[in-house]
């Protein structure tokens, strides 16, 4: 696909919508019919970078190895995004980075590539070998969540019925 080709709005809609939620309405408008790989690369790289920044500001209790591992995953993803020569390349690098980030967040990236088969069954996917993830809420966070949930309820039922 060249930069002069028209891209239908349906193409990559889910990712456009996700980028809009992260970066604002102007982002969706930038990408709405965009077939310019450079523009898409910009948003993919930017999203990876902000993930690292958000983790540094949000994950308060973690060992240095966790942060170092996250940074390595993100830097590898950014390298892939920058090297991408097609939309297929771009999205495969972007998706792979976030898959690894997800597993890293839970404990560690499983590595069963030498096994004949990995099983999708309870008890075989506990990823707390090196660390455990704990989600906690303080009183302010609970209040913010309650306020958000109440806002959703009011939007779903504006008459309060």
């Amino acid at each position: 696909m060249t930069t002069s080709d028209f891209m239908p709005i349906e193409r990559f809609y889910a990712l456009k919508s996700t980028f809009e939620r992260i970066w604002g309405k102007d982002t969706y408008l930038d990408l709405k019919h965009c077939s310019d790989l450079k523009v898409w690369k910009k948003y993919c790289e930017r999203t990876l970078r902000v993930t690292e920044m958000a983790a540094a500001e949000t994950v308060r209790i973690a060992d240095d190895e966790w942060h170092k591992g996250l940074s390595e995953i993100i830097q590898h993803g950014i390298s892939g995004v920058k090297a991408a020569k097609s939309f297929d390349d771009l999205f495969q690098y972007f998706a792979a980075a976030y898959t690894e980030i997800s597993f890293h967040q839970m404990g560690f990236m499983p590595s069963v590539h030498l096994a004949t088969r990995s099983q999708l069954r309870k008890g075989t996917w506990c990823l707390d070998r090196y660390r455990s993830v704990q989600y906690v809420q303080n009183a302010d966070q609970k209040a913010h969540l309650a306020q958000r949930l109440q806002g959703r309820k009011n939007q779903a039922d504006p008459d309060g019925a």
Side-chain angles (χ1 to χ4, degrees), residues 14-126:
L15 190 54
K16 290 174 196 175
S17 179
T18 299
F19 284 162
E20 177 184 17
R21 289 179 64 204
I22 296 169
W23 300 112
K25 190 174 188 173
D26 287 347
T27 299
Y28 183 84
L29 297 175
D30 283 350
L31 298 173
K32 186 175 177 182
H33 293 290
C34 181
S35 59
D36 188 342
L37 186 62
K38 289 178 187 176
V39 174
W40 281 90
K41 287 168 95 168
K42 176 183 87 171
Y43 282 107
C44 288
E45 180 181 345
R46 189 176 186 199
T47 302
L48 283 163
R49 288 188 188 285
V50 81
T51 299
E52 186 170 16
M53 183 184 301
E57 293 183 17
T58 306
V59 180
R60 294 186 177 103
I61 302 172
D63 56 272
D64 290 340
E65 284 300 310
W66 184 87
H67 284 286
K68 181 181 173 193
L70 179 67
S71 183
E72 288 171 0
I73 293 166
I74 289 172
Q75 293 311 312
H76 187 258
I78 289 171
S79 295
V81 163
K82 285 181 173 183
K85 302 281 189 239
S86 69
F87 282 98
D88 287 343
D89 288 348
L90 175 64
F91 296 143
Q92 79 166 328
Y93 289 122
F94 191 68
Y98 275 101
T99 300
E100 288 194 41
I101 290 167
S102 295
F103 278 103
H104 184 76
Q105 176 61 31
M106 288 185 276
F108 72 97
M109 177 70 185
S111 183
V112 295
H113 65 279
L114 297 177
T116 304
R117 169 177 267 182
S118 182
Q119 298 193 10
L120 183 60
R121 126 178 110 182
K122 187 176 179 178
T124 60
W125 286 95
C126 185

